[in-house]
């Protein structure tokens, strides 16, 4: 004769309501390489450099916006020009109004690598501004130092990426 045993326990199906997914995504988002000679006009005058405004509507998706908790922008700027620079990264809304400006001071090249790295963190109120951003613009102005000319060498290179944190 056979026997059978059975074991039971109370199952708590409400535990599924407590499940949170927290994916993290990384992506490159902007790059430029500005040669020193492009900072000089045809008449020999130094001029600021303004990169094109880039469409930046990645946060237009309502589902992404609702799950978005934090965004980190990572910047690496390499200067091989014997001048200092000021970089303004302007985040613009749909009406071309500046929502915020990220400012970077870039020291002059002096024979060794001049690399500026930084991270801008967007969360809470600052994240809400980022969610309204539809364009990103870049403006480089030249700091003090010896005048640039059509024969000036070196480049100003920016690489950037973003780390996006979601909570689903």
């Amino acid at each position: 004769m056979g026997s059978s045993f059975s074991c039971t326990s109370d199952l708590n199906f409400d535990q599924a309501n407590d499940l949170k997914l927290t994916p993290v995504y990384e992506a490159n988002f902007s790059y430029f390489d500005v040669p020193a000679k492009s900072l000089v006009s045809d008449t020999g005058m130094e001029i600021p450099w303004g990169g094109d405004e880039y469409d930046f509507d990645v946060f237009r998706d309502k589902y992404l916006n609702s799950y978005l908790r934090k965004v980190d922008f990572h910047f690496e700027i390499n200067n091989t020009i014997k001048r200092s620079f000021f970089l303004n990264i302007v985040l613009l809304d749909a009406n071309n109004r500046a929502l915020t400006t990220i400012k970077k001071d870039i020291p002059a090249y002096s024979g060794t690598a001049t690399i500026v790295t930084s991270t801008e963190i967007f969360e809470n109120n600052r994240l809400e501004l980022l969610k309204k951003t539809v364009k990103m613009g870049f403006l480089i102005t030249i700091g003090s130092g010896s005048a640039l000319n059509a024969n000036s060498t070196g480049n100003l290179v920016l690489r950037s990426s973003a780390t996006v944190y979601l909570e689903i």
Side-chain angles (χ1 to χ4, degrees), residues 12-156:
N12 180 357
F13 289 103
D14 289 332
Q15 290 175 352
N17 294 334
D18 297 333
L19 177 67
K20 288 185 183 178
L21 302 175
T22 55
V24 176
Y25 298 97
E26 292 193 23
N28 294 328
F29 75 88
S30 61
Y31 171 87
F32 62 71
D33 183 346
V34 180
K37 63 185 176 185
S38 69
L39 298 167
V40 179
S41 72
D42 293 338
T43 61
M45 301 292 296
E46 292 180 351
I47 55 173
W49 180 85
D52 293 333
E53 291 177 354
Y54 298 98
D55 286 336
F56 191 78
D57 60 357
V58 68
F59 300 115
R60 299 286 56 105
D61 181 274
K62 68 179 181 176
Y63 296 107
L64 176 65
N65 265 340
S66 67
Y67 300 132
L68 192 60
R69 295 297 172 255
K70 180 179 167 186
V71 177
D72 297 343
F73 285 167
H74 309 282
F75 296 97
E76 178 184 285
I77 305 160
N78 185 358
N79 182 15
T80 57
I81 303 170
K82 293 182 180 180
R83 286 294 290 274
S84 63
F85 295 94
F86 305 101
L87 170 63
N88 287 329
I89 304 162
V90 184
L91 306 182
L92 303 161
D93 69 9
N95 297 313
N96 282 328
R97 287 186 303 231
L99 296 168
T100 191
T101 301
I102 301 166
K103 298 179 180 196
K104 303 292 172 198
D105 293 340
I106 306 158
Y109 175 73
S110 61
T112 59
T114 302
I115 298 175
V116 174
T117 59
S118 66
T119 300
E120 293 287 328
I121 299 171
F122 290 84
E123 56 187 342
N124 303 320
N125 290 339
R126 200 166 187 217
L127 181 62
E128 293 308 311
L129 286 177
L130 184 63
K131 288 178 181 181
K132 295 175 186 174
T133 300
V134 298
K135 291 182 188 173
M136 181 180 291
F138 297 89
L139 177 64
I140 297 169
T141 53
I142 303 169
S144 60
S146 301
L148 296 175
N149 60 53
N151 297 318
S152 294
T153 60
N155 295 60
L156 189 60

